[in-house]
Amino acid sequence: MVKLSVVIVNYNVCYFLEQTLLSVRTAVAALGQPAEVFVVDNNSADSSVAMVRARFPEVILLANQDNPGFSKANNQALRLATGQYQLLLNPDTLVEEDTFRRCCDFMDAHPRCGGLGVQMLDGQGRFLPESKRGLPTPAVAFYKIFGLASLFPKSRTFGRYHLGFLAKDQAHEIEVLSGAFMLLRKTALDQVGLLDEDYFMYGEDIDLSYRLTRGGWQNWYFPGARILHYKGESTKRTSVNYVFVFYRAMVIFAQKHFAPNRAGLFSALINSAIWLRAGAAVAQRLATAAAPVLLDTGLLYAGMYALKVYWETNQKYVRMPYPPQYMLVAVPLYIAVWLTTTWLSGGYDQPARTSRVVRGLAVGTVLISAATNFFDNWRFSKALIVLGGVWAAAALIARRLFSHWLRHGNLRLSEGRAKTVAIVGSASESQRVRQLLGAAQVPAKIIGYLTPVPLPAALPVPPDHLGTVAELPALLRLYGLTELIFCGQDLPASQIIDLMARLPAEPVVTYKILPAGSQYIIGSSDKDAPGDYYALDRSWQLSQPAQRRNKRLLDLVASLTILAASPLLAWGQFRPGGLLRNVWLVLRGRRSWVGLRYLPEAGSHPAVLSPADTAAAETLLSEATRCRLELLYAQDYEPSLDLGILARGWRRLGGSS
């Protein structure tokens, strides 16, 4: 009989999924009993499916052609699973070697335990309070939404959402399990049913936990097993969409399980919170995005005002002030042109480049000067325009230098603050880390490496060998380390997790892991921030911000041109009915005229035309050839490629992907 079935639902986190499956493989081996592992891929646009097939042939892979949501995808595998215990596991987790064995032993010892959760730590080794949760009744939800739970986390009244009054190092019977690690008894699932598919994402774990307790089963928090959970990567918790989806899930839960009179009040409360939180999230994002532009606008306006006063007083032939419309209308228009051309030139892209700013402002100054020749009533001093352009260049560059200095401690715009890195692992894996960091062009000062155990006394000590992991606390301060990279080939997951949890909070050090045999070094410094990784992948020109911007501008211009010429173009189309529909989709940003259609990266909104569609070939191209042509297009992209493909494939503009 199969003891354990592991179900992992994946969506576009190939690099984290690889690490999860490596740790699952080790934990299954340590279980010592039959087990099966399912991966359900929800139409990922990365190489997740290919990676699973290549590296984990033992995994039962279910590759969906769309994204049906978390609940439906889990249920796909649960209907096939045969294990006595069935684990729902997130793809951005790392499990210890004995996690499955310990959890199954606990379930065996507690026959009324229908669901089990474990102690979860974030990518920095910090305890995640959602490891144990209470039922989100209207009162509990109110305390969480309006911040009382955060202010009084250990209160038995206000802290019930995360049960902060229960010790995190003791086992407790709880109400709600986390869907990131949810171990379920098959007999309990058979009784209460699978995940409720009304929930697309979030809330399904609360719903199932509640139905388990209503069915007479117990839910337990078990700290005897630990996992890392890189929460930010799979949930994107800082997005506005997260706010809507998460709190809407709570409304669905209330409507299903609370009495009608309580559900109505709860729904009103949650809906109010949704709009408050969503509004705050939108405002925060807009403020963050607009701050650099607003700072630049203020600097330019102040400078132009000072130049106007100086010119009126000292240089103007007739000592008369400029009319009010100069500062009220003309200068704001100048600033708008300067900032627009700076943006188009890449002056707001990262990393900042002085040349981009100067180029954009120079073009803007020429455009302003030329345009004012056509408007006699708005023709002010050309000298002020030129001086304004000079001031704009000085002010914008100075503002960028100052911001860069505050963030990175140097005035070299192209360089960030270099990380001070130590590697924990063998000499061979340490060398592999160095190669990956070098290939990814990560600004890092690598101090050396530490081994799990002392080197043999008979061998000479390499100059970059710093010592052993036992000396890590002292070495952190001695070398001022800012990042540690653990080699999964040389350290078990339990030791990595233990080191993350035990190392001192000061100085602040970020942790990353190189999984065995992987080309990714991955980690996450905050539970609410996306995970990050260093990869030995060639970058695509198509993915560069400047090229994405150029491509979008080309799409807009092409759409307007095609729309104007549509009465003529429609006669030559293979599918004339789709021409205006494609114009609309491109204008909305849902599609591009030229781009990827056959590579997995095309996602759910492939382009109208692919480079493979217009390739000169007498025979039908194979799938591999189409992908290869698109790969070359993405790697060496420039807008002229799109123009050529549009010219050759104009009769296909009404086609659909």
Side-chain angles (χ1 to χ4, degrees):
M1 178 182 177
V2 174
K3 185 70 172 180
L4 177 67
S5 299
V6 181
V7 176
I8 302 171
V9 174
N10 175 71
Y11 182 66
N12 286 330
V13 285
C14 174
Y15 37 95
F16 281 98
L17 175 64
E18 180 183 41
Q19 177 177 251
T20 299
L21 289 174
L22 286 169
S23 68
V24 165
R25 177 185 281 169
T26 304
V28 165
L31 178 63
Q33 300 187 60
E36 57 189 5
V37 180
F38 295 84
V39 169
V40 186
D41 185 82
N42 277 349
N43 197 29
S44 293
D46 60 14
S47 55
S48 296
V49 170
M51 182 276 296
V52 173
R53 286 174 176 157
R55 292 209 65 186
F56 303 96
E58 74 276 17
V59 167
I60 303 168
L61 176 64
L62 306 176
N64 289 325
Q65 299 304 306
D66 60 356
N67 184 357
F70 184 77
S71 297
K72 289 184 178 180
N74 270 301
N75 286 347
Q76 281 180 258
L78 288 174
R79 292 187 181 98
L80 302 175
T82 59
Q84 177 186 358
Y85 303 125
Q86 303 187 346
L87 172 65
L88 307 184
L89 183 67
N90 266 28
D92 56 349
T93 55
L94 175 71
V95 301
E96 292 182 314
E97 291 75 15
D98 59 355
T99 293
F100 295 166
R101 178 182 58 79
R102 290 189 177 195
C103 289
C104 288
D105 288 347
F106 186 93
M107 297 282 277
D108 288 342
H110 296 77
R112 296 308 303 162
C113 178
L116 183 72
V118 297
Q119 183 175 168
M120 299 190 297
L121 309 176
D122 69 8
Q124 286 295 100
R126 296 171 296 218
F127 176 74
L128 287 171
E130 47 269 39
S131 301
K132 46 184 175 63
R133 290 185 292 171
L135 192 68
T137 62
V140 171
F142 178 88
Y143 300 146
K144 172 177 169 55
I145 292 166
F146 291 97
L148 293 172
S150 299
L151 288 174
F152 308 103
K154 296 187 180 298
S155 166
R156 289 186 174 271
T157 300
F158 302 121
R160 290 205 60 82
Y161 189 85
H162 286 137
L163 303 176
F165 49 87
L166 298 180
K168 65 181 181 181
D169 56 353
Q170 296 178 9
H172 300 283
E173 188 176 343
I174 59 175
E175 293 171 322
V176 175
L177 304 166
S178 169
F181 185 106
M182 198 173 191
L183 184 61
L184 304 161
R185 190 181 299 269
K186 188 177 189 306
T187 52
L189 268 182
D190 291 341
Q191 175 189 331
V192 304
L194 303 180
L195 295 174
D196 190 329
E197 296 183 1
D198 285 345
Y199 301 90
F200 181 82
M201 182 178 287
Y202 311 117
E204 69 288 319
D205 48 1
I206 301 175
D207 183 278
L208 181 54
S209 298
Y210 182 67
R211 285 189 283 122
L212 284 170
T213 57
R214 290 293 297 269
W217 299 93
Q218 299 171 339
N219 294 322
W220 279 83
Y221 162 71
F222 176 55
R226 299 176 301 181
I227 68 168
L228 286 187
H229 182 203
Y230 299 100
K231 287 196 59 169
E233 183 58 27
S234 63
T235 64
K236 301 295 187 293
R237 293 165 55 87
T238 57
S239 70
V240 176
N241 183 60
Y242 165 78
V243 174
F244 278 96
V245 176
F246 178 77
Y247 288 108
R248 285 290 184 191
M250 296 180 74
V251 171
I252 295 173
F253 177 80
Q255 292 172 342
K256 284 180 176 290
H257 298 294
F258 291 157
N261 58 332
R262 296 179 67 197
L265 175 63
F266 188 82
S267 297
L269 171 69
I270 296 297
N271 280 312
S272 300
I274 287 173
W275 290 108
L276 286 172
R277 288 291 187 94
V282 170
Q284 181 182 1
R285 287 192 163 216
L286 288 176
T288 301
V293 178
L294 293 176
L295 283 172
D296 289 345
T297 300
L299 286 171
L300 294 188
Y301 194 86
M304 291 300 291
Y305 180 79
L307 285 171
K308 176 187 82 77
V309 172
Y310 169 79
W311 203 258
E312 289 171 342
T313 306
N314 299 288
Q315 300 295 331
K316 195 175 181 186
Y317 182 74
V318 179
R319 299 293 194 267
M320 292 179 60
Y322 285 103
Q325 58 263 37
Y326 176 73
M327 291 303 300
L328 293 175
V329 179
V331 168
L333 288 174
Y334 296 169
I335 293 173
V337 172
W338 277 323
L339 295 184
T340 299
T341 53
T342 299
W343 176 73
L344 291 172
S345 179
Y348 287 94
D349 294 345
Q350 294 297 329
R353 294 282 191 275
T354 301
S355 59
R356 298 171 184 165
V357 176
V358 172
R359 181 177 62 223
L361 291 171
V363 171
T365 302
V366 171
L367 289 175
I368 294 168
S369 182
T372 55
N373 290 327
F374 297 97
F375 302 97
D376 291 337
N377 293 333
W378 296 93
R379 189 180 301 165
F380 301 102
S381 173
K382 283 286 196 295
L384 279 180
I385 294 174
V386 174
L387 288 173
V390 173
W391 162 250
L396 266 60
I397 292 171
R399 201 272 298 168
R400 282 155 176 74
L401 286 171
F402 182 68
S403 299
H404 188 85
W405 178 77
L406 288 177
R407 180 176 298 179
H408 302 293
N410 64 63
L411 296 177
R412 297 180 294 276
L413 288 178
S414 60
E415 298 181 15
R417 188 186 297 272
K419 304 170 184 290
T420 306
V421 178
I423 304 165
V424 184
S426 63
S428 60
E429 284 296 279
S430 169
Q431 185 60 33
R432 200 160 72 86
V433 169
R434 293 171 188 267
Q435 292 171 351
L436 284 168
L437 294 179
Q441 298 181 341
V442 177
K445 179 183 179 183
I446 302 176
I447 301 298
Y449 72 100
L450 302 95
T451 48
V453 296
L455 295 177
L459 295 178
V461 178
D464 60 342
H465 182 255
L466 304 177
T468 67
V469 293
E471 303 169 74
L472 253 180
L475 293 174
L476 291 178
R477 293 187 179 276
L478 179 63
Y479 291 106
L481 297 176
T482 59
E483 184 165 292
L484 285 176
I485 299 178
F486 299 101
C487 299
Q489 179 74 39
D490 306 312
L491 284 85
S494 56
Q495 187 177 8
I496 293 174
I497 293 175
D498 195 53
L499 286 169
M500 287 182 176
R502 288 193 302 105
L503 286 173
E506 296 291 339
V508 177
V509 180
T510 59
Y511 304 122
K512 288 187 172 61
I513 301 173
L514 172 62
S518 177
Q519 296 295 304
Y520 298 103
I521 301 173
I522 59 179
S524 176
S525 58
D526 189 270
K527 70 175 183 176
D528 293 330
D532 50 50
Y533 63 98
Y534 310 138
L536 188 60
D537 289 338
R538 180 179 175 183
S539 60
W540 289 0
Q541 282 293 323
L542 187 60
S543 65
Q544 300 303 311
Q547 297 293 14
R548 291 203 305 268
R549 182 170 54 252
N550 293 338
K551 187 173 185 60
R552 181 60 183 151
L553 288 172
L554 190 151
D555 274 341
L556 292 175
V557 172
S559 295
L560 296 176
T561 304
I562 292 169
L563 183 61
S566 59
L568 295 175
L569 287 175
W571 289 101
Q573 293 297 305
F574 293 133
R575 298 185 61 184
L579 184 62
L580 293 180
R581 178 178 59 86
N582 284 340
V583 168
W584 172 243
L585 289 173
V586 173
L587 287 173
R588 291 176 58 202
R590 305 287 289 180
R591 193 163 294 176
S592 179
W593 284 116
V594 181
L596 308 181
R597 290 188 60 186
Y598 303 106
L599 282 174
E601 287 79 3
S604 58
H605 303 303
V608 176
L609 291 176
S610 161
D613 294 335
T614 58
E618 296 181 358
T619 59
L620 188 65
L621 298 178
S622 67
E623 188 73 17
T625 301
R626 289 174 175 175
C627 290
R628 178 62 179 166
L629 287 171
E630 289 195 346
L631 183 62
L632 293 172
Y633 164 85
Q635 289 175 342
D636 303 319
Y637 175 78
E638 56 185 35
S640 61
L641 293 176
D642 284 1
L643 293 175
I645 293 169
L646 281 170
R648 294 193 301 271
W650 68 273
R651 301 187 68 182
R652 301 173 181 265
L653 295 178
S656 71
S657 54

